[in-house]
């Protein structure tokens, strides 16, 4: 991937124009992340996955979710009950399409990730309803082998 902004460790906030992102991102990721698109349910690569590891922003590499907080949801998108850090994501009121929802954006690059709903499991009661295309997954055994 030829993305100079991508990092799993740098948490410096990014302010990159859509003209620039368009040159860097795949068409799918640009459409969802920068134009607030949505992938069709039950089509993404993570909605059904239960592998242990960490999910990162597909646009900038920011760590977003641990698999510990992922739960089986019938909605067709990968669902989590909490983010990896409080400031990993930001929340934006979204009144589009005649609905009153809360949009979730990456806390580092402000790309659209999905929405948050209040029908999730305990302990938070939240359901982060994310687009698989906006997530990069790093399995846990790979993470551990890097730290040895
Ligand atoms: Fe990001």
């Amino acid at each position: 991937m030829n993305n100079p902004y991508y990092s799993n460790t740098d948490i410096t906030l990014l302010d990159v124009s859509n003209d620039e992102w368009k040159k860097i991102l795949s068409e799918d990721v640009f459409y969802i992340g920068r134009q607030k698109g949505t992938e069709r349910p039950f089509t993404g690569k993570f909605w059904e996955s239960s592998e242990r590891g960490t999910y990162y922003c597909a646009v900038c590499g920011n760590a977003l979710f641990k698999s510990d907080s992922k739960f089986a949801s019938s909605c067709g998108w990968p669902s989590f009950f909490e983010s990896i850090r409080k400031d990993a994501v930001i929340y934006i009121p979204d009144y589009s399409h005649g609905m009153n929802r809360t949009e979730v954006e990456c806390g580092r690059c402000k790309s659209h990730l999905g929405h948050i709903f209040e029908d999730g499991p305990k302990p938070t009661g939240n359901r982060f309803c994310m687009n698989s295309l906006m997530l990069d997954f790093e399995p846990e055994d790979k993470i551990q082998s890097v730290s040895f």
Side-chain angles (χ1 to χ4, degrees), residues 104-122:
V104 178
E105 292 184 354
C106 171
R108 179 168 183 246
C109 73
K110 294 188 163 56
S111 290
H112 173 79
L113 304 173
H115 289 87
I116 184 169
F117 302 96
E118 292 176 350
D119 57 5
K122 287 175 180 172

